[in-house]
Amino acid sequence: LAAPPDAAGVAAVSTVSFCTSAADELGIDRASLPPLTRTLADAWDADFRRRMARDVFAAVGRSLARRQECTAAARAAAALGVPAPRRSREGRCWALMVADIVEEEDGRVGNECVGDVSAPRGNTGKKEGGRGAPACGLERSIAGTLTFSIAVPDAPLPPPWPAMGRQKRAYASNVAVSPAARRKGVASALLSAAERRAARLGYDELWLHVDQGNEGALALYRALGYESAGLEPATAAALALRLGARRHMLRKCLRVAPWAKRARARADARDLL
């Protein structure tokens, strides 16, 4: 698995990208606040960022540990020549992707900078697509992160509620880029790696969500070929306390090799056993 600093780096990038101050959420000009109120607001925001970083660090650690257990169980089953148990196959359905800042001559970030830190340690230098990427070591400086999973993004209720017969899809979430690495192609490289992984698993679409009002992200996704699939179900938004702020659902069609479609069909058939 990835070294512990990878989890810390993911937590740091996620906190910077997703944490907004209470004043900003309420549309309040911080400069107009009384000094004591501003001090209290700053203390509240700092505490929230610390708690979020701690929670993300713990969640990443648990997910990586589970991925390692699934991979070990699948390898043990393969060594015995028996079908892998369903739980051990869950490892293929989740991946944590990170990107290093690798400057090219044009100042952008190449796809070779993207690696899957959820892979076993012997494969951490393998990028999505076949060629090598910088190994996950103590010197890794994470510029961006993305979570890849097989999920039901258009489900009316979030897990663990049943998906109401909806189809499972390849899903990209938690796309976060460090402020110092923005506008350098990091998000595009991460999404490109997620698309290759989805196609290799036999999925002909990659789905994602984006908040209403996030025009910059919407413009990026549309430029990369993502099309609108409507708004997320109102029930899912209400349970996530996003009343009146349902997210956009976007999807992109992918080209999938016939062998990948057959492999997915076999895997889905095994999951039904």
Side-chain angles (χ1 to χ4, degrees):
L1 288 177
D6 285 319
V10 171
V13 172
S14 298
T15 301
V16 171
S17 298
F18 299 134
C19 276
T20 55
S21 67
D24 292 339
E25 288 285 351
L26 297 174
I28 299 174
D29 183 8
R30 299 178 71 89
S32 65
L33 296 174
L36 179 59
T37 304
R38 188 163 56 246
T39 300
L40 291 174
D42 291 341
W44 166 268
D45 292 340
D47 179 66
F48 180 75
R49 285 192 294 270
R50 283 193 297 269
R51 287 186 286 114
M52 182 176 182
R54 180 194 61 203
D55 293 345
V56 171
F57 178 85
V60 169
R62 289 193 301 268
S63 298
L64 292 176
R66 184 181 182 189
R67 170 69 179 264
Q68 186 180 38
E69 293 173 0
C70 292
T71 302
R75 288 178 174 174
L80 296 174
V82 298
R86 181 174 181 177
R87 184 176 183 277
S88 69
R89 294 196 295 270
E90 292 177 1
R92 75 186 185 97
C93 299
W94 181 88
L96 178 65
M97 299 177 178
V98 298
D100 288 331
I101 301 178
V102 179
E103 294 284 350
E104 295 184 342
E105 291 183 0
D106 60 358
R108 297 186 65 79
V109 176
N111 286 353
E112 67 271 11
C113 70
V114 178
D116 177 4
V117 302
S118 57
R121 180 168 296 278
N123 294 330
T124 51
K126 184 179 179 181
K127 83 152 193 178
E128 289 293 328
R131 298 184 314 188
C136 299
L138 296 177
E139 74 284 355
R140 175 185 284 278
S141 176
I142 293 177
T145 178
L146 175 150
T147 302
F148 175 91
S149 61
I150 304 301
V152 187
D154 56 342
L157 296 173
W161 298 96
M164 305 297 184
R166 302 293 177 92
Q167 180 183 357
K168 287 189 175 181
R169 309 178 189 278
Y171 178 54
S173 60
N174 304 325
V175 182
V177 178
S178 170
R182 289 173 184 169
R183 299 188 181 278
K184 294 185 177 181
V186 173
S188 299
L190 287 165
L191 286 168
S192 179
E195 291 164 10
R196 289 193 297 272
R197 185 180 186 89
R200 196 173 66 249
L201 291 176
Y203 290 86
D204 57 5
E205 289 181 335
L206 180 65
W207 284 56
L208 53 83
H209 282 107
V210 62
D211 292 336
Q212 292 191 46
N214 192 345
E215 298 299 333
L218 275 172
L220 170 64
Y221 297 143
R222 285 169 177 161
L224 294 176
Y226 287 84
E227 300 177 346
S228 175
L231 296 175
E232 69 175 331
T235 49
L239 289 174
L241 302 181
R242 288 191 297 273
L243 299 176
R246 294 160 62 190
R247 298 177 299 175
H248 293 283
M249 294 190 300
L250 302 178
R251 63 185 176 188
K252 180 178 180 179
C253 294
L254 308 174
R255 181 177 299 177
V256 181
W259 66 263
K261 292 182 179 180
R262 293 193 294 269
R264 179 192 169 188
R266 291 194 297 269
D268 290 345
R270 288 196 301 268
D271 288 344
L272 294 175
L273 299 178

